[in-house]
Coordinates of all heavy atoms in Angstrom, one line a residue:
I1 N 6.1 11.7 -78.6 CA 5.6 11.4 -77.3 C 6.7 10.7 -76.6 O 7.2 9.6 -77.0 CB 4.3 10.6 -77.4 CG1 3.2 11.3 -78.2 CG2 3.8 10.2 -76.0 CD1 2.7 12.5 -77.6
E2 N 7.1 11.2 -75.4 CA 8.2 10.6 -74.7 C 7.7 9.5 -73.7 O 8.4 8.6 -73.4 CB 9.0 11.6 -73.9 CG 9.9 12.4 -74.7 CD 10.8 13.3 -73.9 OE1 11.1 13.0 -72.7 OE2 11.2 14.4 -74.4
N3 N 6.5 9.7 -73.1 CA 6.0 8.8 -72.1 C 4.5 8.9 -72.1 O 3.9 9.9 -72.3 CB 6.5 9.2 -70.8 CG 6.3 8.1 -69.7 OD1 6.0 7.0 -70.0 ND2 6.5 8.5 -68.4
V4 N 3.8 7.7 -72.0 CA 2.4 7.6 -71.8 C 2.1 6.8 -70.5 O 2.6 5.7 -70.4 CB 1.7 6.9 -73.0 CG1 0.2 6.8 -72.8 CG2 2.0 7.7 -74.3
L5 N 1.5 7.4 -69.6 CA 1.2 6.8 -68.3 C 0.0 5.9 -68.3 O -1.0 6.2 -69.0 CB 1.1 7.8 -67.2 CG 2.3 8.8 -67.1 CD1 2.0 9.9 -66.1 CD2 3.5 8.0 -66.5
A6 N 0.1 4.7 -67.7 CA -0.9 3.7 -67.6 C -2.2 4.3 -67.1 O -2.2 5.2 -66.1 CB -0.5 2.5 -66.8
D7 N -3.3 3.9 -67.6 CA -4.7 4.3 -67.1 C -4.9 5.8 -67.2 O -5.8 6.4 -66.5 CB -4.9 3.8 -65.7 CG -4.8 2.3 -65.6 OD1 -5.2 1.6 -66.5 OD2 -4.2 1.9 -64.6
S8 N -4.2 6.5 -68.1 CA -4.4 8.0 -68.2 C -5.3 8.2 -69.5 O -5.5 7.3 -70.3 CB -3.0 8.6 -68.5 OG -2.5 8.2 -69.8
P9 N -5.8 9.5 -69.6 CA -6.5 9.8 -70.8 C -5.7 9.6 -72.1 O -6.2 9.2 -73.1 CB -6.8 11.3 -70.6 CG -6.9 11.4 -69.1 CD -5.8 10.5 -68.6
A10 N -4.4 9.8 -72.0 CA -3.5 9.6 -73.2 C -3.5 8.1 -73.6 O -3.6 7.8 -74.7 CB -2.1 10.1 -72.9
S11 N -3.4 7.2 -72.6 CA -3.4 5.8 -72.9 C -4.8 5.3 -73.4 O -4.9 4.5 -74.3 CB -3.0 4.9 -71.7 OG -3.9 4.9 -70.7
E12 N -5.9 5.9 -72.9 CA -7.2 5.6 -73.4 C -7.4 6.1 -74.8 O -8.1 5.4 -75.6 CB -8.3 6.3 -72.5 CG -8.4 5.7 -71.1 CD -9.4 6.5 -70.2 OE1 -10.0 7.4 -70.7 OE2 -9.4 6.1 -69.0
A13 N -6.7 7.2 -75.2 CA -6.7 7.6 -76.6 C -5.8 6.8 -77.5 O -5.8 7.1 -78.7 CB -6.3 9.1 -76.6
R14 N -5.1 5.9 -76.9 CA -4.2 5.0 -77.7 C -2.9 5.7 -78.2 O -2.3 5.3 -79.2 CB -4.9 4.3 -78.8 CG -6.0 3.4 -78.3 CD -6.7 2.6 -79.4 NE -6.5 3.0 -80.8 CZ -7.3 3.7 -81.5 NH1 -8.4 4.2 -81.0 NH2 -7.0 4.0 -82.8
L15 N -2.5 6.8 -77.5 CA -1.2 7.4 -77.8 C -0.1 6.4 -77.4 O -0.3 5.7 -76.4 CB -1.0 8.7 -77.0 CG -1.6 10.0 -77.7 CD1 -1.6 11.1 -76.7 CD2 -0.8 10.3 -79.0
K16 N 1.0 6.4 -78.1 CA 2.1 5.5 -77.8 C 3.4 6.3 -77.8 O 3.6 7.3 -78.5 CB 2.2 4.4 -78.8 CG 1.0 3.5 -78.8 CD 1.2 2.4 -79.8 CE 0.0 1.4 -79.7 NZ 0.2 0.2 -80.5
V17 N 4.3 5.8 -77.0 CA 5.7 6.4 -77.0 C 6.2 6.3 -78.4 O 6.1 5.3 -79.0 CB 6.6 5.6 -76.0 CG1 8.0 6.1 -76.1 CG2 6.1 5.8 -74.5
G18 N 6.8 7.4 -78.8 CA 7.4 7.5 -80.2 C 6.5 8.1 -81.2 O 6.9 8.4 -82.3
D19 N 5.2 8.2 -80.9 CA 4.3 8.9 -81.8 C 4.8 10.3 -82.0 O 5.3 11.0 -81.1 CB 2.8 9.0 -81.2 CG 2.1 7.7 -81.4 OD1 2.5 6.7 -82.0 OD2 1.0 7.6 -80.8
E20 N 4.6 10.8 -83.3 CA 5.0 12.1 -83.6 C 3.7 12.9 -83.9 O 3.0 12.5 -84.8 CB 5.9 12.2 -84.8 CG 7.2 11.5 -84.6 CD 8.2 11.4 -85.8 OE1 7.8 12.1 -86.8 OE2 9.2 10.8 -85.7
L21 N 3.4 13.9 -83.1 CA 2.2 14.7 -83.3 C 2.3 15.6 -84.5 O 3.3 16.4 -84.6 CB 1.9 15.6 -82.0 CG 1.3 14.9 -80.8 CD1 1.4 15.8 -79.6 CD2 -0.1 14.4 -81.1
C22 N 1.4 15.5 -85.4 CA 1.3 16.5 -86.5 C 0.3 17.6 -86.2 O 0.4 18.7 -86.6 CB 0.8 15.7 -87.8 SG 2.0 14.4 -88.3
R23 N -0.8 17.2 -85.5 CA -1.8 18.2 -85.1 C -2.4 17.8 -83.8 O -2.6 16.6 -83.5 CB -2.9 18.2 -86.2 CG -4.0 19.2 -85.9 CD -4.9 19.4 -87.1 NE -4.2 20.2 -88.1 CZ -4.0 21.5 -88.1 NH1 -4.4 22.2 -87.0 NH2 -3.4 22.1 -89.1
F24 N -2.6 18.8 -83.0 CA -3.2 18.6 -81.6 C -4.3 19.6 -81.5 O -4.1 20.8 -81.2 CB -2.1 18.9 -80.6 CG -2.5 18.6 -79.2 CD1 -2.2 17.3 -78.6 CD2 -3.1 19.5 -78.3 CE1 -2.6 17.0 -77.3 CE2 -3.4 19.2 -77.0 CZ -3.2 17.9 -76.5
G25 N -5.5 19.2 -81.9 CA -6.6 20.2 -82.0 C -6.3 21.2 -83.1 O -6.0 20.8 -84.2
T26 N -6.2 22.5 -82.7 CA -5.9 23.5 -83.6 C -4.4 23.8 -83.7 O -3.9 24.7 -84.4 CB -6.6 24.8 -83.2 OG1 -6.2 25.2 -81.9 CG2 -8.1 24.7 -83.3
V27 N -3.6 23.1 -83.0 CA -2.1 23.3 -82.9 C -1.4 22.4 -83.8 O -1.6 21.2 -83.9 CB -1.6 23.1 -81.4 CG1 -0.1 23.3 -81.3 CG2 -2.4 24.0 -80.5
D28 N -0.4 23.0 -84.5 CA 0.6 22.2 -85.3 C 1.9 22.9 -85.2 O 2.2 23.7 -84.3 CB 0.1 22.2 -86.8 CG 0.0 23.5 -87.5 OD1 0.7 24.5 -87.1 OD2 -0.7 23.6 -88.5
Y29 N 2.9 22.4 -86.0 CA 4.3 22.9 -85.9 C 4.4 24.4 -86.1 O 5.4 25.0 -85.7 CB 5.2 22.1 -86.9 CG 5.1 22.6 -88.3 CD1 5.9 23.5 -88.8 CD2 4.1 22.0 -89.1 CE1 5.8 23.9 -90.2 CE2 3.9 22.4 -90.4 CZ 4.8 23.3 -91.0 OH 4.7 23.7 -92.3
T30 N 3.4 25.1 -86.8 CA 3.6 26.5 -87.1 C 3.1 27.4 -85.9 O 3.5 28.6 -85.9 CB 2.7 26.9 -88.3 OG1 1.3 26.7 -88.0 CG2 3.1 26.1 -89.5
N31 N 2.4 26.9 -84.9 CA 1.8 27.7 -83.9 C 1.8 27.1 -82.5 O 1.0 27.5 -81.7 CB 0.3 28.1 -84.3 CG -0.6 26.9 -84.3 OD1 -0.1 25.7 -84.2 ND2 -1.8 27.1 -84.6
H32 N 2.7 26.2 -82.2 CA 2.7 25.5 -80.9 C 3.3 26.4 -79.8 O 3.1 26.1 -78.6 CB 3.3 24.2 -81.0 CG 4.8 24.1 -81.2 ND1 5.7 24.5 -80.3 CD2 5.5 23.8 -82.4 CE1 6.9 24.3 -80.8 NE2 6.8 23.9 -82.1
R33 N 4.0 27.5 -80.1 CA 4.6 28.4 -79.1 C 5.4 27.6 -78.1 O 5.2 27.8 -76.9 CB 3.5 29.2 -78.5 CG 2.8 30.1 -79.4 CD 1.8 31.1 -78.7 NE 1.4 30.8 -77.4 CZ 0.2 30.2 -77.0 NH1 -0.7 29.9 -78.0 NH2 -0.1 30.0 -75.8
G34 N 6.3 26.8 -78.5 CA 7.1 26.0 -77.5 C 6.3 25.1 -76.8 O 6.6 24.8 -75.6
L35 N 5.3 24.5 -77.4 CA 4.3 23.6 -76.8 C 3.3 24.2 -75.8 O 2.4 23.5 -75.4 CB 5.0 22.4 -76.2 CG 6.0 21.6 -77.0 CD1 6.5 20.4 -76.2 CD2 5.3 21.1 -78.3
R36 N 3.4 25.5 -75.6 CA 2.5 26.2 -74.6 C 1.1 26.2 -75.2 O 0.1 26.1 -74.4 CB 2.9 27.6 -74.3 CG 4.2 27.6 -73.4 CD 4.6 29.0 -73.0 NE 4.7 30.0 -74.2 CZ 5.7 30.1 -75.0 NH1 6.8 29.4 -74.7 NH2 5.8 31.0 -75.9
A37 N 0.9 26.2 -76.5 CA -0.4 26.3 -77.1 C -1.2 25.0 -76.8 O -2.4 25.0 -76.7 CB -0.3 26.5 -78.6
M38 N -0.5 23.9 -76.7 CA -1.1 22.6 -76.4 C -1.8 22.7 -75.0 O -2.9 22.1 -74.8 CB -0.1 21.5 -76.5 CG 0.4 21.3 -77.9 SD 1.8 20.3 -78.0 CE 1.2 18.7 -77.5
S39 N -1.2 23.3 -74.1 CA -1.8 23.5 -72.7 C -3.1 24.3 -72.8 O -4.1 23.9 -72.2 CB -0.8 24.2 -71.8 OG -1.4 24.4 -70.6
D40 N -3.1 25.3 -73.7 CA -4.3 26.1 -73.9 C -5.4 25.2 -74.4 O -6.6 25.3 -74.0 CB -4.0 27.3 -74.8 CG -3.0 28.2 -74.3 OD1 -2.8 28.3 -73.0 OD2 -2.5 29.0 -75.1
V41 N -5.1 24.4 -75.4 CA -6.1 23.5 -76.0 C -6.6 22.5 -75.0 O -7.9 22.3 -74.9 CB -5.5 22.7 -77.2 CG1 -6.4 21.6 -77.7 CG2 -5.2 23.7 -78.4
V42 N -5.8 21.9 -74.2 CA -6.2 21.0 -73.1 C -7.1 21.7 -72.1 O -8.2 21.2 -71.8 CB -5.0 20.4 -72.4 CG1 -5.5 19.6 -71.1 CG2 -4.2 19.4 -73.3
S43 N -6.8 22.9 -71.7 CA -7.6 23.6 -70.7 C -9.0 23.9 -71.3 O -10.0 23.8 -70.6 CB -6.9 24.9 -70.3 OG -5.7 24.7 -69.6
R44 N -9.0 24.4 -72.6 CA -10.3 24.7 -73.2 C -11.1 23.5 -73.4 O -12.3 23.5 -73.1 CB -10.0 25.3 -74.6 CG -11.1 26.1 -75.2 CD -10.8 26.9 -76.4 NE -9.5 27.5 -76.4 CZ -8.5 27.2 -77.2 NH1 -8.6 26.2 -78.1 NH2 -7.3 27.8 -77.1
A45 N -10.5 22.4 -73.8 CA -11.3 21.1 -74.0 C -11.8 20.6 -72.7 O -13.0 20.2 -72.6 CB -10.4 20.1 -74.7
Y46 N -11.0 20.7 -71.6 CA -11.5 20.2 -70.3 C -12.6 21.1 -69.8 O -13.7 20.5 -69.4 CB -10.3 20.2 -69.3 CG -10.8 19.9 -67.9 CD1 -11.3 18.6 -67.6 CD2 -10.9 20.8 -66.9 CE1 -11.7 18.3 -66.4 CE2 -11.4 20.5 -65.7 CZ -11.8 19.2 -65.4 OH -12.3 18.9 -64.2
S47 N -12.5 22.4 -69.9 CA -13.6 23.3 -69.4 C -14.9 23.1 -70.3 O -16.0 23.3 -69.7 CB -13.1 24.7 -69.4 OG -12.9 25.2 -70.6
D48 N -14.8 22.7 -71.5 CA -15.9 22.5 -72.4 C -16.4 21.1 -72.4 O -17.3 20.7 -73.2 CB -15.6 23.0 -73.8 CG -15.4 24.5 -74.0 OD1 -15.7 25.2 -73.0 OD2 -14.8 24.9 -75.0
S49 N -15.8 20.2 -71.7 CA -16.0 18.7 -71.7 C -16.0 18.2 -73.1 O -16.8 17.5 -73.6 CB -17.4 18.4 -71.1 OG -17.4 18.8 -69.7
A50 N -14.9 18.6 -73.9 CA -14.8 18.3 -75.3 C -13.6 17.4 -75.5 O -12.7 17.3 -74.6 CB -14.6 19.5 -76.1
S51 N -13.5 16.8 -76.6 CA -12.3 16.0 -77.0 C -11.4 16.8 -77.9 O -11.9 17.7 -78.6 CB -12.8 14.7 -77.7 OG -13.5 13.9 -76.8
I52 N -10.2 16.3 -78.0 CA -9.2 17.0 -78.9 C -8.9 15.9 -80.0 O -8.5 14.8 -79.7 CB -7.9 17.3 -78.1 CG1 -8.3 18.3 -77.0 CG2 -6.9 18.0 -79.1 CD1 -7.2 18.4 -76.0
M53 N -9.0 16.4 -81.2 CA -8.6 15.5 -82.4 C -7.1 15.6 -82.5 O -6.5 16.7 -82.6 CB -9.3 15.9 -83.6 CG -10.8 15.7 -83.6 SD -11.4 14.0 -83.1 CE -10.8 13.1 -84.4
L54 N -6.4 14.4 -82.6 CA -5.0 14.4 -82.8 C -4.7 13.7 -84.1 O -5.3 12.7 -84.4 CB -4.3 13.6 -81.7 CG -4.7 13.9 -80.2 CD1 -4.0 12.9 -79.3 CD2 -4.4 15.3 -79.9
V55 N -3.6 14.2 -84.8 CA -3.1 13.5 -85.9 C -1.7 13.1 -85.6 O -0.9 14.0 -85.3 CB -3.2 14.3 -87.2 CG1 -2.6 13.6 -88.4 CG2 -4.6 14.7 -87.5
V56 N -1.3 11.8 -85.6 CA 0.0 11.4 -85.3 C 0.6 10.6 -86.4 O -0.1 10.0 -87.2 CB 0.0 10.6 -83.9 CG1 -0.5 11.4 -82.8 CG2 -0.7 9.3 -84.1
L57 N 1.9 10.6 -86.4 CA 2.7 9.7 -87.3 C 3.2 8.6 -86.4 O 3.8 8.9 -85.3 CB 3.8 10.4 -88.0 CG 3.5 11.3 -89.1 CD1 4.7 12.0 -89.7 CD2 2.7 10.6 -90.2
R58 N 3.0 7.3 -86.8 CA 3.5 6.2 -86.0 C 4.2 5.2 -86.9 O 3.8 5.0 -88.0 CB 2.3 5.5 -85.3 CG 2.6 4.3 -84.5 CD 1.4 3.8 -83.8 NE 0.8 4.7 -82.8 CZ -0.4 4.7 -82.3 NH1 -1.2 3.7 -82.6 NH2 -0.8 5.6 -81.4
K59 N 5.3 4.6 -86.3 CA 6.0 3.6 -87.1 C 5.2 2.4 -87.3 O 4.5 1.9 -86.4 CB 7.3 3.2 -86.3 CG 8.3 4.3 -86.2 CD 9.5 3.8 -85.4 CE 10.5 5.0 -85.2 NZ 11.6 4.7 -84.3
K60 N 5.1 2.0 -88.6 CA 4.5 0.7 -88.9 C 5.3 -0.4 -88.4 O 6.6 -0.4 -88.5 CB 4.2 0.6 -90.4 CG 3.0 1.3 -90.9 CD 2.9 0.9 -92.4 CE 1.5 1.3 -92.9 NZ 1.4 0.8 -94.3
C61 N 4.7 -1.5 -87.9 CA 5.5 -2.6 -87.4 C 5.1 -3.9 -88.1 O 4.0 -4.0 -88.6 CB 5.3 -2.8 -85.9 SG 5.9 -1.5 -84.9
T62 N 6.1 -4.8 -88.2 CA 5.8 -6.1 -88.8 C 5.1 -7.0 -87.7 O 5.0 -6.6 -86.6 CB 7.1 -6.8 -89.2 OG1 7.9 -7.0 -88.1 CG2 7.8 -6.0 -90.2
I63 N 4.7 -8.2 -88.1 CA 4.0 -9.1 -87.2 C 4.8 -9.3 -85.9 O 4.3 -9.4 -84.8 CB 3.6 -10.4 -87.9 CG1 2.6 -10.1 -88.9 CG2 3.1 -11.4 -86.9 CD1 2.3 -11.3 -89.8
N64 N 6.2 -9.4 -86.0 CA 7.0 -9.7 -84.9 C 7.4 -8.5 -84.1 O 8.1 -8.6 -83.1 CB 8.3 -10.5 -85.3 CG 9.2 -9.7 -86.2 OD1 8.9 -8.5 -86.4 ND2 10.2 -10.3 -86.7
G65 N 6.8 -7.3 -84.4 CA 7.0 -6.1 -83.6 C 8.1 -5.2 -84.1 O 8.4 -4.2 -83.5
N66 N 8.9 -5.7 -85.1 CA 10.0 -4.8 -85.6 C 9.4 -3.7 -86.5 O 8.4 -3.9 -87.1 CB 11.0 -5.7 -86.3 CG 11.7 -6.7 -85.5 OD1 12.0 -6.4 -84.3 ND2 12.0 -7.8 -86.0
A67 N 10.2 -2.6 -86.6 CA 9.7 -1.5 -87.4 C 9.8 -2.0 -88.9 O 10.8 -2.6 -89.3 CB 10.6 -0.3 -87.2
Q68 N 8.8 -1.7 -89.6 CA 8.8 -2.0 -91.1 C 9.6 -0.9 -91.8 O 9.4 0.3 -91.5 CB 7.3 -1.9 -91.6 CG 7.1 -2.4 -93.0 CD 5.6 -2.4 -93.3 OE1 4.9 -1.4 -93.1 NE2 5.1 -3.5 -93.8
L69 N 10.5 -1.3 -92.6 CA 11.4 -0.3 -93.3 C 11.0 -0.1 -94.7 O 10.5 -1.0 -95.4 CB 12.9 -0.9 -93.2 CG 13.4 -1.2 -91.8 CD1 14.8 -1.7 -91.9 CD2 13.4 0.0 -90.9
N70 N 11.3 1.2 -95.2 CA 11.0 1.5 -96.6 C 12.3 1.2 -97.4 O 13.3 0.7 -96.9 CB 10.5 2.9 -96.7 CG 11.6 4.0 -96.2 OD1 12.8 3.7 -96.1 ND2 11.1 5.2 -95.9
D71 N 12.3 1.6 -98.7 CA 13.4 1.4 -99.6 C 14.7 2.0 -99.1 O 15.8 1.6 -99.5 CB 13.1 1.8 -101.0 CG 12.0 1.0 -101.6 OD1 11.8 -0.1 -101.1 OD2 11.3 1.5 -102.5
E72 N 14.6 3.1 -98.3 CA 15.8 3.8 -97.8 C 16.2 3.2 -96.4 O 17.0 3.8 -95.7 CB 15.6 5.3 -97.7 CG 15.5 6.0 -99.0 CD 14.1 6.2 -99.4 OE1 13.2 6.4 -98.6 OE2 13.8 6.2 -100.6
H73 N 15.6 2.1 -96.0 CA 15.9 1.5 -94.7 C 15.5 2.4 -93.6 O 16.2 2.3 -92.5 CB 17.3 1.0 -94.7 CG 17.7 0.0 -95.8 ND1 17.2 -1.2 -95.8 CD2 18.4 0.2 -96.9 CE1 17.6 -1.9 -96.9 NE2 18.4 -1.0 -97.6
R74 N 14.5 3.2 -93.7 CA 14.0 4.0 -92.6 C 12.6 3.5 -92.3 O 11.9 2.9 -93.1 CB 13.9 5.5 -93.1 CG 15.2 6.1 -93.4 CD 15.0 7.6 -93.7 NE 16.3 8.1 -94.0 CZ 16.5 9.2 -94.6 NH1 15.5 10.0 -95.0 NH2 17.7 9.7 -94.9
P75 N 12.2 3.7 -91.0 CA 10.9 3.1 -90.6 C 9.8 3.7 -91.5 O 9.8 4.9 -91.8 CB 10.7 3.6 -89.2 CG 12.1 3.9 -88.7 CD 12.9 4.3 -89.9
T76 N 8.9 2.9 -91.9 CA 7.7 3.3 -92.6 C 6.7 3.9 -91.6 O 6.5 3.3 -90.5 CB 7.0 2.1 -93.3 OG1 7.9 1.6 -94.2 CG2 5.8 2.6 -94.1
M77 N 6.2 5.1 -91.9 CA 5.3 5.8 -90.9 C 3.9 5.7 -91.5 O 3.6 5.8 -92.7 CB 5.7 7.2 -90.7 CG 7.1 7.4 -90.3 SD 7.5 6.7 -88.6 CE 7.0 8.1 -87.6
Q78 N 2.9 5.6 -90.5 CA 1.5 5.7 -90.9 C 0.9 6.9 -90.2 O 1.2 7.1 -89.0 CB 0.8 4.4 -90.7 CG 0.8 4.0 -89.2 CD 0.1 2.6 -89.0 OE1 -0.6 2.1 -89.9 NE2 0.4 2.0 -87.9
Q79 N -0.1 7.5 -90.8 CA -0.8 8.7 -90.2 C -2.0 8.1 -89.5 O -2.8 7.4 -90.2 CB -1.1 9.7 -91.2 CG -1.8 10.9 -90.6 CD -2.0 12.0 -91.6 OE1 -1.1 12.5 -92.2 NE2 -3.3 12.4 -91.9
I80 N -2.3 8.5 -88.3 CA -3.4 8.0 -87.5 C -4.1 9.1 -86.9 O -3.5 10.1 -86.4 CB -2.9 7.0 -86.4 CG1 -2.2 5.8 -87.0 CG2 -4.1 6.5 -85.5 CD1 -1.5 4.9 -86.0
T81 N -5.4 9.1 -86.8 CA -6.2 10.1 -86.2 C -6.8 9.5 -84.9 O -7.3 8.4 -84.9 CB -7.4 10.6 -87.0 OG1 -6.9 11.1 -88.3 CG2 -8.2 11.7 -86.3
L82 N -6.6 10.2 -83.8 CA -7.0 9.8 -82.4 C -7.8 10.9 -81.8 O -7.8 12.0 -82.2 CB -5.8 9.5 -81.5 CG -4.8 8.5 -82.1 CD1 -3.5 8.5 -81.2 CD2 -5.4 7.1 -82.2
K83 N -8.6 10.5 -80.7 CA -9.4 11.4 -80.0 C -9.0 11.4 -78.5 O -9.1 10.3 -77.9 CB -10.9 11.1 -80.2 CG -11.8 12.1 -79.5 CD -13.2 11.9 -79.9 CE -13.8 10.6 -79.3 NZ -15.2 10.5 -79.5
L84 N -8.5 12.5 -78.0 CA -8.1 12.6 -76.6 C -9.1 13.4 -75.8 O -9.5 14.5 -76.2 CB -6.7 13.3 -76.5 CG -6.2 13.6 -75.2 CD1 -5.8 12.4 -74.4 CD2 -5.0 14.5 -75.3
T85 N -9.6 12.9 -74.7 CA -10.5 13.6 -73.8 C -9.8 13.9 -72.5 O -9.6 13.0 -71.7 CB -11.8 12.7 -73.6 OG1 -12.3 12.4 -74.8 CG2 -12.8 13.5 -72.8
P86 N -9.4 15.2 -72.3 CA -8.7 15.5 -71.1 C -9.7 15.4 -69.9 O -10.9 15.8 -70.0 CB -8.4 17.0 -71.3 CG -8.4 17.2 -72.8 CD -9.5 16.3 -73.3
K87 N -9.2 14.8 -68.8 CA -10.0 14.7 -67.6 C -9.2 14.4 -66.4 O -8.0 13.9 -66.6 CB -11.1 13.6 -67.8 CG -10.5 12.2 -68.1 CD -11.5 11.2 -68.4 CE -10.9 9.9 -68.8 NZ -11.9 8.9 -69.2
P88 N -9.7 14.6 -65.2 CA -8.9 14.2 -64.0 C -8.8 12.7 -64.0 O -9.6 12.0 -64.4 CB -9.8 14.7 -62.9 CG -10.7 15.7 -63.4 CD -10.9 15.3 -64.9
W89 N -7.6 12.3 -63.5 CA -7.4 10.8 -63.4 C -6.5 10.7 -62.2 O -6.2 11.6 -61.4 CB -6.8 10.3 -64.7 CG -5.5 10.8 -65.1 CD1 -5.2 12.1 -65.5 CD2 -4.2 10.2 -65.0 NE1 -3.9 12.3 -65.7 CE2 -3.2 11.1 -65.4 CE3 -3.8 8.9 -64.7 CZ2 -1.9 10.8 -65.5 CZ3 -2.5 8.6 -64.8 CH2 -1.5 9.5 -65.2
A90 N -6.0 9.5 -61.9 CA -5.2 9.3 -60.7 C -3.8 10.0 -60.7 O -3.2 10.2 -59.6 CB -4.9 7.8 -60.5
G91 N -3.3 10.4 -61.9 CA -2.0 11.0 -62.0 C -2.2 12.5 -62.1 O -3.2 13.1 -61.9
K92 N -1.1 13.2 -62.4 CA -1.0 14.6 -62.5 C -1.6 15.1 -63.8 O -1.4 14.5 -64.8 CB 0.5 15.0 -62.4 CG 0.8 16.5 -62.4 CD 2.2 16.8 -62.2 CE 2.5 18.3 -62.4 NZ 3.9 18.6 -62.4
G93 N -2.2 16.3 -63.8 CA -2.8 16.9 -65.0 C -4.0 16.2 -65.5 O -4.7 15.4 -64.8
F94 N -4.3 16.5 -66.8 CA -5.5 16.0 -67.4 C -5.3 15.1 -68.6 O -6.2 14.7 -69.3 CB -6.4 17.2 -67.9 CG -6.9 18.1 -66.7 CD1 -6.4 19.4 -66.6 CD2 -7.8 17.6 -65.9 CE1 -6.8 20.2 -65.5 CE2 -8.3 18.4 -64.8 CZ -7.8 19.7 -64.6
V95 N -4.0 14.8 -68.9 CA -3.7 14.1 -70.1 C -2.9 12.8 -69.8 O -3.2 11.7 -70.3 CB -2.9 15.0 -71.1 CG1 -2.5 14.2 -72.3 CG2 -3.8 16.1 -71.6
G96 N -1.8 12.9 -69.1 CA -1.0 11.7 -68.7 C 0.0 11.3 -69.7 O 0.2 10.1 -69.9
C97 N 0.7 12.2 -70.4 CA 1.8 11.9 -71.2 C 2.8 13.0 -71.3 O 2.5 14.1 -70.8 CB 1.3 11.5 -72.6 SG 0.7 12.8 -73.6
V98 N 4.0 12.7 -71.8 CA 5.0 13.8 -71.9 C 5.3 14.0 -73.3 O 5.6 13.1 -74.1 CB 6.3 13.2 -71.2 CG1 7.4 14.3 -71.3 CG2 6.1 12.9 -69.7
F99 N 5.1 15.3 -73.7 CA 5.4 15.8 -75.0 C 6.8 16.4 -75.1 O 7.2 17.1 -74.1 CB 4.4 16.9 -75.4 CG 3.0 16.5 -75.3 CD1 2.2 16.9 -74.3 CD2 2.4 15.7 -76.3 CE1 0.8 16.5 -74.2 CE2 1.0 15.4 -76.3 CZ 0.3 15.7 -75.2
S100 N 7.4 16.3 -76.2 CA 8.7 17.1 -76.4 C 8.8 17.4 -77.9 O 8.3 16.6 -78.7 CB 9.9 16.3 -76.0 OG 10.1 15.2 -76.8
P101 N 9.3 18.6 -78.2 CA 9.4 19.0 -79.6 C 10.4 18.1 -80.3 O 11.4 17.7 -79.7 CB 9.8 20.5 -79.6 CG 10.4 20.7 -78.2 CD 9.8 19.6 -77.3
I102 N 10.1 17.9 -81.6 CA 11.1 17.1 -82.4 C 12.2 18.1 -82.8 O 12.0 19.2 -83.3 CB 10.4 16.6 -83.7 CG1 9.4 15.6 -83.3 CG2 11.4 16.0 -84.6 CD1 8.5 15.1 -84.4
Q103 N 13.4 17.7 -82.6 CA 14.6 18.5 -82.9 C 14.9 18.5 -84.4 O 14.9 17.5 -85.0 CB 15.8 18.1 -82.1 CG 15.5 18.2 -80.6 CD 15.1 19.5 -80.1 OE1 15.7 20.5 -80.5 NE2 14.2 19.6 -79.2

């Protein structure tokens, strides 16, 4: 996640900049079609007044906010499940965040 806009459905779902999406409803790394499939999931959820279950990897932090490191000195990641409800809000679109594929 590159950006999460304040007061958006994404911020209400507790998505954070730096989260790595593992699953977005029925979409994962095998079928995202250049992230276009995520737009389909958002449209379907909005028209059905439904929520989208997300599975994200997020860096674990210490009490002072620094990333917790593992034995290889890489950030320790934790898997978190969130629920995103697409809806109109003051900004553009129905979600309010910027996705980009992991290179």
Side-chain angles (χ1 to χ4, degrees):
I1 304 293
E2 284 189 25
N3 192 13
V4 178
L5 301 170
D7 302 320
S8 68
S11 69
E12 290 175 7
R14 299 184 345 262
L15 274 169
K16 295 185 178 187
V17 171
D19 282 351
E20 297 179 7
L21 282 170
C22 299
R23 181 165 289 283
F24 189 90
T26 57
V27 178
D28 63 22
Y29 75 96
T30 65
N31 64 354
H32 66 75
R33 297 186 343 259
L35 304 183
R36 290 185 308 277
M38 294 166 65
S39 176
D40 297 340
V41 169
V42 169
S43 295
R44 196 172 324 113
Y46 175 69
S47 64
D48 293 345
S49 298
S51 295
I52 303 166
M53 297 306 294
L54 311 178
V55 177
V56 302
L57 289 178
R58 181 175 292 165
K59 291 178 186 171
K60 277 187 166 183
C61 292
T62 61
I63 292 171
N64 64 6
N66 295 326
Q68 190 177 51
L69 302 178
N70 63 19
D71 292 338
E72 290 97 33
H73 302 287
R74 293 185 184 162
T76 302
M77 304 295 275
Q78 61 185 340
Q79 183 173 301
I80 301 172
T81 302
L82 304 172
K83 184 170 70 170
L84 172 68
T85 305
K87 60 185 176 185
W89 64 291
K92 183 179 174 186
F94 297 109
V95 176
C97 69
V98 177
F99 304 101
S100 66
I102 296 174
Q103 302 300 322

